[in-house]
Amino acid sequence: MSEFLAKSLEIAQTYWPLFMSGTRVTLILSISGTLIGLVIGLLVGSVRAVGVEPRDSLGVRILKRTVRIVTSIYIEVFRGTPMIVQGVFLFYLLKPVFNWNAMTAGVFVISVNTGAYMAEIIRAGIQSVDRGQTEAARSIGMSSLQTMFIVVLPQAIKNSFPSIGNEFVVNIKDSSVLSAISVTDLYFQSIGVAGSMFLFSQTMLTTVLIYLVLTFTTTRILGWIEKRMGRPKSSFPASQTVPGSPVL
């Protein structure tokens, strides 16, 4: 055991620059993917929460129903398929169109994947807002969009913050699957080191500890933010905090 730990320490010291480079890429992927995914989720979740009203014209009703169907398909597809499959499929499918590199494709994949989950998180947050506030806003002449973006969404985001934060933690870990398209994240760098040394267990011990530090630090920061917001801390993963499946 002592020899195992000594070899792990030697690998960490020797290849520390590679581990740090991979960690930086992992953080870029998870932060950018979560933020862009949140924007996508806000748009999709808000659109899905705007229901068909009796005073809507026929054209508006058709548009709302069409958008709802399209967004439901988007959510089902990206929540129902593995990110590694999405990454490989989209990277090679769209490479002739965008001529993008692996890093750009990785940010795109993790963003659209996160957006599907965020859309349901935001939808649940919107549903948690007292309907009386929506009725009050409409009674003073606000449109559906004004009510959504001025009154409902700010409260929905606050209510959904634990799940949004947990999605960020999930992205830190799940970004490792993007090594399948040669994104040089922490896992990709670790596999390279392990392959060159033929010491996979010793190398992965360092990788495990780095991931643990990242997720532990992130959860503590998110917990502090939740406390400042006056919300109880949540420790459930995002996939467990989103009720139900999208309905067409």
Side-chain angles (χ1 to χ4, degrees), residues 115-131:
Y117 287 93
M118 288 292 189
E120 287 298 276
I121 291 172
I122 295 300
R123 180 185 63 83
I126 290 173
Q127 291 178 344
S128 70
V129 177
D130 186 358
R131 186 167 181 79

Side-chain angles (χ1 to χ4, degrees), residues 19-243:
F19 287 117
M20 287 299 95
S21 174
T23 300
R24 180 177 61 84
V25 172
T26 293
L27 288 174
I28 291 174
L29 285 171
S30 56
I31 293 173
S32 59
T34 302
L35 292 176
I36 298 173
L38 177 58
V39 173
I40 295 173
L42 285 170
L43 294 175
V44 175
S46 300
V47 168
R48 288 175 54 76
V50 177
V52 178
E53 301 180 1
R55 63 181 181 180
D56 289 338
S57 64
L58 178 61
V60 172
R61 292 187 182 188
I62 294 175
L63 177 62
K64 285 184 177 181
R65 292 188 183 279
T66 301
V67 170
R68 189 172 183 82
I69 291 172
V70 171
T71 54
S72 294
I73 293 173
Y74 159 67
I75 291 172
E76 289 288 2
V77 168
F78 281 93
R79 290 181 67 196
T81 55
M83 189 191 296
I84 188 171
V85 177
Q86 297 166 15
V88 174
F89 175 73
L90 292 175
F91 175 61
Y92 290 105
L93 175 69
L94 300 178
K95 187 174 178 61
V97 179
F98 298 113
N99 192 30
W100 54 13
N101 56 34
M103 185 64 182
T104 304
V107 172
F108 175 82
V109 170
I110 200 170
S111 296
V112 295
N113 178 276
T114 301
Y117 287 93
M118 288 292 189
E120 287 298 276
I121 291 172
I122 295 300
R123 180 185 63 83
I126 290 173
Q127 291 178 344
S128 70
V129 177
D130 186 358
R131 186 167 181 79
Q133 298 190 40
T134 301
E135 295 173 351
R138 297 305 302 275
S139 69
I140 62 174
M142 284 189 176
S143 65
S144 297
L145 289 178
Q146 287 177 322
T147 301
M148 179 61 64
F149 286 99
I150 298 176
V151 178
V152 178
L153 266 186
Q155 299 178 71
I157 293 174
K158 181 179 179 180
N159 294 341
S160 304
F161 183 80
S163 297
I164 294 172
N166 284 331
E167 191 64 27
F168 175 43
V169 176
V170 169
N171 281 341
I172 293 176
K173 298 178 293 182
D174 287 357
S175 61
S176 60
V177 303
L178 296 175
S179 60
I181 58 173
S182 300
V183 175
T184 56
D185 68 327
L186 176 58
Y187 177 74
F188 183 92
Q189 298 285 19
S190 300
I191 288 296
V193 172
S196 64
M197 297 288 293
F198 295 101
L199 295 171
F200 285 86
S201 296
Q202 292 87 337
T203 303
M204 288 303 159
L205 176 60
T206 300
T207 307
V208 165
L209 292 176
I210 294 174
Y211 274 117
L212 184 60
V213 169
L214 291 177
T215 55
F216 180 84
T217 303
T218 301
T219 53
R220 292 302 175 271
I221 292 173
L222 292 173
W224 177 81
I225 294 174
E226 287 179 36
K227 185 176 180 180
R228 296 285 294 180
M229 294 173 65
R231 290 196 52 82
K233 290 189 289 185
S234 171
S235 58
F236 295 100
S239 58
Q240 294 183 12
T241 57
V242 181

